[in-house]
Amino acid sequence: MKILVSGKGGCGKSTISAMLGKYLAEKGYRVLIIDADESNPGLYRMLGLPKVKTLAEHLGGKKRAKILMAAEGKGELDEELFNWTLDDIPDEILAKKGNLAVLTIGKIEEAEEGCACPYGFLARKLLEGIKLQENEVIIVDTEAGIEHFGRGVDKHVDVVVDVAEPSLESIELSKKIAGLSESLGLKHILVLNKALPGVEEKLPVKPDVIIPFDQSFIVDSLNGKEVEPIDQIETLWKSIAGRIHLFSP
């Protein structure tokens, strides 16, 4: 199964991706988290893992990714490029802990280096080509907003976990994400994060999962602590499994 986590900047996408990845790994699934956010560097820290070489670096850098992207536009790309299983992914681009691994597509490192489109291309081709077994799960932590829909990354996943916070801007974006997901035939699950008491009744949409605001997450982050799954992550997983009729390993 391939799960994409989407939402407004700062809503908690990486935190939820990390917690869900840990939860599933503890349940016996083999989990790969794909860091497709070109700016946020925090996912490794959240999981207590070291940074490793990115997929873009492994392939020869951003310029090489641009060449591959241009080749696809001309119909000249080798479509076997990412015809991988989880076992085929090179070790130098995987940070691992037990059943859990993280792969980063690429990061913006320099001023004026250009747009992140080549990284979106790599994420799309990787998700398109990679083959999973029944007990394997990919979680894609995306950049803020909905550009990944425009890049076609979402076309190759099974379900979109839409993370919103209790603000009008975030809820309006979630409505857009729901519509885009539906247009691709994807299951859509809405998670309301950082929820204060009484806020649910004021929402124009009904969340599938509600995660209360907890200041300890902020304190733990400032102290560099790993995240650990909370009870609502089990609820989230049950929502995902129920939507796609999945059974536990």
Side-chain angles (χ1 to χ4, degrees), residues 54-118:
T54 67
L55 175 61
E57 290 169 335
H58 170 75
L59 294 172
K62 192 174 184 181
K63 288 182 179 180
R64 174 62 177 165
K66 288 181 179 179
I67 292 171
L68 294 172
M69 186 167 63
E72 182 188 45
K74 297 176 183 177
E76 300 173 354
L77 181 68
D78 178 7
E79 293 298 333
E80 300 295 312
L81 179 64
F82 294 125
N83 189 18
W84 289 347
T85 65
L86 293 190
D87 291 320
D88 295 326
I89 301 175
D91 285 339
E92 72 168 359
I93 60 174
L94 286 179
K96 301 178 183 178
K97 180 188 291 185
N99 291 336
L100 179 65
V102 178
L103 181 156
T104 296
I105 300 297
K107 296 291 183 183
I108 299 294
E109 301 290 353
E110 300 177 6
E112 300 184 332
E113 72 171 66
C115 76
C117 296

Coordinates of all heavy atoms in Angstrom, one line a residue, residues 54-118:
T54 N 20.7 11.4 -0.6 CA 19.4 11.5 -1.2 C 19.3 10.7 -2.5 O 20.4 10.3 -3.1 CB 18.9 12.9 -1.5 OG1 19.8 13.4 -2.5 CG2 19.1 13.8 -0.2
L55 N 18.1 10.4 -2.9 CA 18.0 9.7 -4.2 C 18.6 10.5 -5.3 O 19.2 10.0 -6.2 CB 16.5 9.5 -4.5 CG 16.1 8.9 -5.8 CD1 16.8 7.5 -6.0 CD2 14.6 8.8 -6.0
A56 N 18.3 11.8 -5.3 CA 18.9 12.7 -6.4 C 20.4 12.6 -6.4 O 21.1 12.6 -7.4 CB 18.4 14.2 -6.1
E57 N 21.0 12.7 -5.2 CA 22.5 12.6 -5.1 C 23.0 11.2 -5.6 O 24.0 11.2 -6.3 CB 22.9 12.8 -3.6 CG 22.8 14.2 -3.2 CD 23.0 14.3 -1.6 OE1 22.8 13.3 -0.9 OE2 23.3 15.4 -1.2
H58 N 22.3 10.2 -5.3 CA 22.6 8.8 -5.8 C 22.7 8.8 -7.3 O 23.5 8.1 -7.9 CB 21.7 7.8 -5.2 CG 21.8 6.5 -5.8 ND1 22.8 5.6 -5.5 CD2 21.0 5.8 -6.7 CE1 22.7 4.5 -6.1 NE2 21.6 4.6 -6.9
L59 N 21.7 9.5 -7.9 CA 21.6 9.4 -9.4 C 22.5 10.4 -10.1 O 22.7 10.4 -11.3 CB 20.2 9.8 -9.8 CG 19.1 8.7 -9.4 CD1 17.7 9.2 -9.7 CD2 19.3 7.4 -10.1
G60 N 23.2 11.3 -9.3 CA 24.2 12.2 -9.9 C 23.8 13.6 -9.7 O 24.5 14.5 -10.3
G61 N 22.9 13.9 -8.9 CA 22.5 15.3 -8.5 C 21.3 15.9 -9.3 O 20.7 15.2 -10.1
K62 N 21.0 17.1 -8.9 CA 19.8 17.7 -9.5 C 19.9 17.9 -11.0 O 18.9 17.7 -11.7 CB 19.6 19.1 -8.8 CG 18.2 19.7 -9.1 CD 18.1 21.0 -8.3 CE 16.7 21.6 -8.5 NZ 16.5 22.8 -7.7
K63 N 21.1 18.2 -11.5 CA 21.3 18.3 -13.0 C 20.9 17.0 -13.7 O 20.3 17.0 -14.8 CB 22.7 18.8 -13.3 CG 23.0 20.2 -12.9 CD 24.4 20.6 -13.3 CE 24.7 22.1 -12.9 NZ 26.0 22.5 -13.3
R64 N 21.4 15.9 -13.1 CA 21.1 14.6 -13.7 C 19.6 14.3 -13.7 O 19.0 13.8 -14.6 CB 21.8 13.5 -12.9 CG 21.5 12.1 -13.3 CD 21.9 11.8 -14.8 NE 21.6 10.4 -15.1 CZ 21.6 9.9 -16.3 NH1 21.7 10.8 -17.4 NH2 21.3 8.7 -16.6
A65 N 18.9 14.7 -12.6 CA 17.5 14.6 -12.5 C 16.8 15.4 -13.6 O 15.8 14.9 -14.2 CB 17.0 15.0 -11.1
K66 N 17.3 16.6 -13.9 CA 16.7 17.4 -14.9 C 16.9 16.7 -16.3 O 16.0 16.8 -17.1 CB 17.4 18.8 -15.0 CG 17.0 19.7 -13.8 CD 17.8 21.0 -14.0 CE 17.4 22.0 -12.9 NZ 18.1 23.3 -13.0
I67 N 18.0 16.1 -16.5 CA 18.2 15.4 -17.8 C 17.2 14.2 -17.9 O 16.7 14.0 -19.0 CB 19.7 14.9 -17.8 CG1 20.7 16.0 -17.9 CG2 19.9 13.9 -19.0 CD1 22.1 15.6 -17.8
L68 N 17.0 13.5 -16.8 CA 16.1 12.4 -16.9 C 14.6 12.9 -17.1 O 13.9 12.3 -17.9 CB 16.1 11.6 -15.6 CG 17.4 10.9 -15.3 CD1 17.4 10.3 -13.9 CD2 17.7 9.7 -16.3
M69 N 14.3 14.0 -16.5 CA 13.0 14.6 -16.7 C 12.8 15.0 -18.1 O 11.7 14.8 -18.7 CB 12.8 15.8 -15.7 CG 11.4 16.4 -15.7 SD 11.1 17.6 -14.4 CE 12.3 18.8 -14.7
A70 N 13.8 15.6 -18.7 CA 13.7 16.0 -20.1 C 13.6 14.8 -21.1 O 12.9 14.8 -22.0 CB 15.0 16.8 -20.5
A71 N 14.3 13.7 -20.7 CA 14.2 12.5 -21.5 C 12.8 11.9 -21.5 O 12.4 11.4 -22.5 CB 15.2 11.4 -20.9
E72 N 12.2 12.0 -20.3 CA 10.8 11.5 -20.3 C 9.9 12.4 -21.2 O 9.0 11.8 -21.9 CB 10.2 11.6 -18.8 CG 8.8 11.1 -18.7 CD 8.2 11.3 -17.4 OE1 8.3 12.4 -16.9 OE2 7.5 10.4 -16.9
G73 N 10.1 13.7 -21.2 CA 9.3 14.5 -22.1 C 9.5 14.2 -23.6 O 8.6 14.4 -24.4
K74 N 10.7 13.7 -23.9 CA 11.0 13.3 -25.3 C 10.6 11.8 -25.6 O 10.8 11.4 -26.7 CB 12.4 13.5 -25.6 CG 12.9 14.9 -25.5 CD 14.4 15.0 -25.7 CE 14.9 16.4 -25.5 NZ 16.4 16.5 -25.6
G75 N 10.1 11.1 -24.6 CA 9.8 9.7 -24.8 C 11.0 8.8 -24.8 O 11.0 7.7 -25.3
E76 N 12.1 9.3 -24.2 CA 13.4 8.6 -24.3 C 13.8 8.0 -22.9 O 14.9 7.5 -22.8 CB 14.5 9.5 -24.9 CG 14.2 10.0 -26.3 CD 15.2 11.1 -26.7 OE1 16.0 11.5 -25.9 OE2 15.1 11.5 -27.9
L77 N 13.0 8.2 -21.9 CA 13.4 7.7 -20.6 C 13.3 6.2 -20.5 O 12.3 5.6 -20.9 CB 12.5 8.4 -19.5 CG 12.8 8.0 -18.1 CD1 14.2 8.6 -17.7 CD2 11.7 8.5 -17.1
D78 N 14.3 5.6 -19.8 CA 14.3 4.2 -19.5 C 13.2 3.9 -18.4 O 13.5 4.3 -17.3 CB 15.6 3.7 -19.1 CG 15.6 2.2 -18.7 OD1 14.6 1.5 -18.9 OD2 16.7 1.7 -18.2
E79 N 12.1 3.3 -18.8 CA 11.0 3.2 -17.8 C 11.3 2.1 -16.8 O 10.6 1.9 -15.9 CB 9.7 2.8 -18.6 CG 9.2 4.0 -19.4 CD 8.8 5.2 -18.6 OE1 8.5 5.1 -17.4 OE2 8.9 6.3 -19.2
E80 N 12.5 1.4 -16.9 CA 12.9 0.4 -15.9 C 13.7 1.1 -14.8 O 14.2 0.4 -13.9 CB 13.7 -0.7 -16.6 CG 13.0 -1.4 -17.7 CD 11.8 -2.2 -17.1 OE1 12.0 -2.9 -16.1 OE2 10.7 -2.1 -17.7
L81 N 13.9 2.4 -14.9 CA 14.8 3.1 -14.0 C 14.5 2.8 -12.5 O 15.4 2.6 -11.7 CB 14.6 4.6 -14.2 CG 15.5 5.5 -13.3 CD1 17.0 5.3 -13.6 CD2 15.1 7.0 -13.6
F82 N 13.2 2.8 -12.1 CA 12.8 2.5 -10.8 C 11.9 1.3 -10.7 O 11.0 1.2 -9.8 CB 12.1 3.7 -10.1 CG 13.0 4.9 -10.0 CD1 12.6 6.2 -10.6 CD2 14.2 4.9 -9.3 CE1 13.4 7.3 -10.4 CE2 15.0 6.0 -9.2 CZ 14.6 7.2 -9.7
N83 N 12.2 0.3 -11.5 CA 11.5 -0.9 -11.4 C 12.0 -1.8 -10.2 O 12.6 -2.8 -10.4 CB 11.6 -1.7 -12.7 CG 10.6 -2.9 -12.8 OD1 9.7 -3.0 -12.0 ND2 10.9 -3.8 -13.7
W84 N 11.8 -1.2 -9.0 CA 12.5 -1.8 -7.8 C 11.5 -2.5 -6.9 O 10.3 -2.2 -7.0 CB 13.1 -0.7 -7.0 CG 14.3 0.0 -7.6 CD1 15.1 -0.5 -8.6 CD2 14.9 1.2 -7.1 NE1 16.1 0.4 -8.9 CE2 16.0 1.4 -8.0 CE3 14.6 2.1 -6.1 CZ2 16.9 2.5 -7.8 CZ3 15.4 3.2 -6.0 CH2 16.6 3.4 -6.8
T85 N 12.0 -3.4 -6.1 CA 11.3 -3.8 -4.9 C 12.0 -3.0 -3.7 O 13.0 -2.4 -3.9 CB 11.4 -5.3 -4.6 OG1 12.8 -5.6 -4.4 CG2 10.9 -6.1 -5.9
L86 N 11.5 -3.2 -2.5 CA 12.2 -2.5 -1.4 C 13.6 -3.1 -1.2 O 14.5 -2.3 -0.8 CB 11.4 -2.8 -0.1 CG 10.0 -2.1 0.0 CD1 9.4 -2.2 1.5 CD2 10.1 -0.6 -0.4
D87 N 13.8 -4.3 -1.5 CA 15.1 -4.9 -1.4 C 16.1 -4.4 -2.4 O 17.3 -4.5 -2.3 CB 15.1 -6.4 -1.5 CG 14.4 -7.1 -0.3 OD1 14.6 -6.6 0.8 OD2 13.6 -8.0 -0.5
D88 N 15.6 -3.8 -3.5 CA 16.5 -3.3 -4.6 C 17.0 -1.9 -4.3 O 17.9 -1.4 -5.0 CB 15.7 -3.3 -5.9 CG 15.3 -4.6 -6.4 OD1 16.1 -5.6 -6.2 OD2 14.3 -4.8 -7.0
I89 N 16.4 -1.2 -3.4 CA 16.8 0.2 -3.1 C 18.2 0.2 -2.5 O 18.5 -0.5 -1.6 CB 15.8 0.9 -2.1 CG1 14.4 0.9 -2.6 CG2 16.3 2.3 -1.8 CD1 13.4 1.4 -1.7
P90 N 19.1 1.0 -3.1 CA 20.5 1.0 -2.7 C 20.6 1.4 -1.2 O 20.0 2.3 -0.7 CB 21.2 2.1 -3.6 CG 20.3 2.1 -4.8 CD 18.9 1.8 -4.3
D91 N 21.5 0.7 -0.5 CA 21.6 1.0 1.0 C 22.1 2.4 1.3 O 21.8 2.9 2.3 CB 22.7 0.0 1.6 CG 22.1 -1.4 1.7 OD1 20.8 -1.5 1.8 OD2 22.8 -2.4 1.8
E92 N 22.9 3.0 0.4 CA 23.4 4.3 0.7 C 22.3 5.4 0.7 O 22.6 6.5 1.2 CB 24.5 4.7 -0.4 CG 23.9 5.1 -1.7 CD 25.0 5.7 -2.6 OE1 26.2 5.9 -2.1 OE2 24.7 6.0 -3.8
I93 N 21.1 5.1 0.3 CA 20.1 6.1 0.3 C 19.0 5.7 1.3 O 17.9 6.3 1.3 CB 19.5 6.4 -1.1 CG1 18.9 5.2 -1.7 CG2 20.5 7.0 -2.0 CD1 18.1 5.4 -3.0
L94 N 19.2 4.7 2.2 CA 18.3 4.3 3.1 C 18.8 4.5 4.6 O 19.9 4.0 4.9 CB 17.9 2.8 2.9 CG 17.0 2.5 1.8 CD1 16.8 1.0 1.7 CD2 15.7 3.2 1.8
A95 N 18.1 5.1 5.4 CA 18.3 5.1 6.9 C 17.4 4.1 7.5 O 16.2 4.2 7.2 CB 18.1 6.5 7.4
K96 N 17.9 3.2 8.2 CA 17.0 2.0 8.7 C 17.0 1.9 10.2 O 18.0 2.2 10.9 CB 17.5 0.7 8.0 CG 17.6 0.7 6.5 CD 18.1 -0.6 6.0 CE 18.3 -0.7 4.6 NZ 18.9 -2.0 4.1
K97 N 15.9 1.4 10.7 CA 15.8 1.0 12.1 C 14.7 -0.1 12.1 O 13.5 0.2 12.0 CB 15.4 2.1 13.0 CG 15.3 1.8 14.5 CD 14.7 2.9 15.3 CE 15.7 4.1 15.4 NZ 15.2 5.1 16.3
G98 N 15.1 -1.4 12.3 CA 14.2 -2.5 12.3 C 13.4 -2.6 11.0 O 14.0 -2.6 9.9
N99 N 12.1 -2.6 11.1 CA 11.2 -2.7 9.9 C 11.0 -1.4 9.2 O 10.3 -1.3 8.2 CB 9.9 -3.2 10.3 CG 9.9 -4.7 10.7 OD1 10.8 -5.4 10.3 ND2 8.9 -5.1 11.5
L100 N 11.6 -0.3 9.7 CA 11.4 1.0 9.2 C 12.6 1.6 8.5 O 13.7 1.5 9.0 CB 11.0 2.0 10.4 CG 10.7 3.4 10.1 CD1 9.5 3.6 9.2 CD2 10.6 4.2 11.3
A101 N 12.3 2.2 7.3 CA 13.4 2.9 6.6 C 12.9 4.2 6.0 O 11.7 4.4 5.8 CB 13.9 2.0 5.4
V102 N 13.8 5.1 5.8 CA 13.5 6.4 5.3 C 14.4 6.7 4.0 O 15.6 6.4 4.0 CB 13.7 7.6 6.3 CG1 13.5 8.9 5.6 CG2 12.9 7.4 7.5
L103 N 13.7 7.2 3.0 CA 14.4 7.6 1.7 C 14.0 9.0 1.4 O 12.9 9.4 1.4 CB 14.0 6.7 0.6 CG 14.6 6.9 -0.8 CD1 14.6 5.6 -1.6 CD2 13.9 8.0 -1.6
T104 N 15.0 9.9 1.2 CA 14.8 11.3 0.9 C 15.0 11.5 -0.6 O 16.0 11.1 -1.2 CB 15.7 12.2 1.7 OG1 15.4 12.1 3.1 CG2 15.5 13.7 1.3
I105 N 14.0 12.1 -1.3 CA 14.1 12.4 -2.7 C 15.2 13.4 -3.0 O 16.1 13.2 -3.8 CB 12.8 12.9 -3.3 CG1 11.7 11.8 -3.0 CG2 12.9 13.2 -4.8 CD1 11.9 10.5 -3.7
G106 N 15.2 14.6 -2.4 CA 16.2 15.6 -2.6 C 15.8 16.9 -1.8 O 14.6 17.0 -1.4
K107 N 16.7 17.7 -1.6 CA 16.5 18.9 -0.8 C 17.1 20.2 -1.5 O 18.1 20.1 -2.2 CB 17.2 18.8 0.6 CG 16.6 17.7 1.5 CD 15.2 18.0 2.0 CE 14.7 16.9 2.9 NZ 13.3 17.1 3.3
I108 N 16.4 21.3 -1.3 CA 16.9 22.6 -1.8 C 18.1 23.0 -0.9 O 17.8 23.1 0.3 CB 15.9 23.7 -1.8 CG1 14.7 23.3 -2.8 CG2 16.5 25.0 -2.2 CD1 15.1 23.2 -4.2
E109 N 19.3 23.1 -1.4 CA 20.4 23.4 -0.5 C 21.1 24.7 -0.8 O 21.8 25.3 0.1 CB 21.5 22.3 -0.8 CG 21.0 20.9 -0.5 CD 20.8 20.6 0.9 OE1 21.2 21.4 1.8 OE2 20.3 19.5 1.2
E110 N 20.8 25.4 -1.9 CA 21.5 26.6 -2.3 C 20.5 27.6 -2.8 O 19.5 27.3 -3.4 CB 22.6 26.4 -3.3 CG 23.7 25.4 -2.9 CD 24.6 25.1 -4.1 OE1 24.5 25.8 -5.1 OE2 25.5 24.3 -3.9
A111 N 20.8 28.9 -2.5 CA 20.0 30.0 -3.0 C 20.1 30.0 -4.6 O 21.1 29.7 -5.1 CB 20.5 31.3 -2.5
E112 N 18.9 30.3 -5.2 CA 18.9 30.4 -6.7 C 19.2 29.1 -7.4 O 19.6 29.2 -8.6 CB 19.8 31.6 -7.1 CG 19.4 32.9 -6.5 CD 20.2 34.1 -7.1 OE1 21.4 33.8 -7.5 OE2 19.7 35.2 -7.1
E113 N 19.1 28.0 -6.8 CA 19.4 26.8 -7.5 C 18.3 26.3 -8.4 O 18.4 25.4 -9.2 CB 19.7 25.6 -6.5 CG 18.5 25.1 -5.8 CD 18.9 23.8 -5.0 OE1 19.7 23.9 -4.0 OE2 18.4 22.7 -5.4
G114 N 17.1 27.0 -8.4 CA 16.0 26.7 -9.3 C 14.9 25.9 -8.6 O 15.0 25.6 -7.4
C115 N 13.9 25.6 -9.3 CA 12.7 25.0 -8.7 C 13.0 23.6 -8.3 O 14.0 23.0 -8.7 CB 11.5 25.1 -9.7 SG 11.6 23.9 -11.0
A116 N 12.0 23.0 -7.6 CA 12.1 21.6 -7.1 C 11.5 20.6 -8.0 O 11.3 19.5 -7.6 CB 11.6 21.5 -5.7
C117 N 11.1 21.0 -9.2 CA 10.4 20.1 -10.1 C 11.1 18.8 -10.4 O 10.5 17.8 -10.5 CB 10.1 20.9 -11.5 SG 9.0 22.3 -11.3
P118 N 12.5 18.8 -10.6 CA 13.1 17.6 -10.8 C 12.9 16.6 -9.6 O 12.9 15.4 -9.8 CB 14.6 18.0 -10.9 CG 14.6 19.4 -11.4 CD 13.4 20.0 -10.7

